[in-house]
Amino acid sequence: MSVIVTDTGFNADDFSCGFVALDEVAANDCDYGIDVPSDTLPEALAGLNNAAMIRIDFPSFADGRGFTLAAMLRRAGFKGRLRAKGHVLADQYAMARRSGFDEVEIDDALAARQPADQWQFRADWQNHNYQARLRG
């Protein structure tokens, strides 16, 4: 099972259309989501602006390439839901939100080790953005 983390805490997954790999085409009329691996080349993101959701994999908490991919998608005009999936820690939640992610999908084991209060502590990510303060 998975837990969806948003600014309001832990939530159930409300996306029911499923996901396909980046190189697959869905064979139904549902607004499917697209799974993007962390090692995806930037040029492979072109043309994804109409996806209902993009879910970027984080194979390790030390792998920050997903943050870069999220920021690139947002700068390219992606307006859909953007989800980080995998090994994202509560300490990284503010970075995920500032990069453009709407939510984070974690497994039950990580949710047990890092309960909702640890994630919600970082939900005020807009007010504690020192880089934005430095930019003015």
Side-chain angles (χ1 to χ4, degrees):
M1 294 294 294
S2 296
V3 174
I4 305 301
V5 182
T6 66
D7 291 349
T8 61
F10 285 1
N11 301 286
D13 192 352
D14 65 352
F15 189 74
S16 60
C17 294
F19 293 88
V20 297
L22 180 60
D23 59 353
E24 293 179 14
V25 175
N28 60 33
D29 59 359
C30 187
D31 288 333
Y32 57 90
I34 300 172
D35 275 327
V36 175
S38 64
D39 62 353
T40 299
L41 297 174
E43 53 269 16
L45 302 176
L48 297 182
N49 282 350
N50 293 324
M53 181 186 294
I54 296 176
R55 183 170 66 175
I56 299 175
D57 186 45
F58 281 76
S60 163
F61 70 88
D63 185 347
R65 295 176 291 179
F67 297 124
T68 302
L69 292 173
M72 292 174 74
L73 281 164
R74 291 299 188 199
R75 283 194 301 268
F78 179 70
K79 303 281 188 224
R81 283 171 71 178
L82 193 53
R83 179 185 289 179
K85 177 185 186 273
H87 297 281
V88 178
L89 303 177
D91 287 343
Q92 297 171 312
Y93 183 70
M95 179 63 177
R97 293 290 283 131
R98 282 195 281 278
S99 297
F101 286 105
D102 298 301
E103 56 201 39
V104 175
E105 179 179 342
I106 59 174
D107 63 24
D108 289 335
L110 180 56
R113 285 192 313 272
Q114 296 190 322
D117 63 324
Q118 292 184 23
W119 293 86
Q120 285 185 291
F121 180 75
R122 289 146 181 96
D124 193 15
W125 56 274
Q126 292 171 322
N127 289 330
H128 301 289
N129 185 353
Y130 75 94
Q131 290 178 341
R133 285 195 311 263
L134 291 174
R135 286 190 295 264

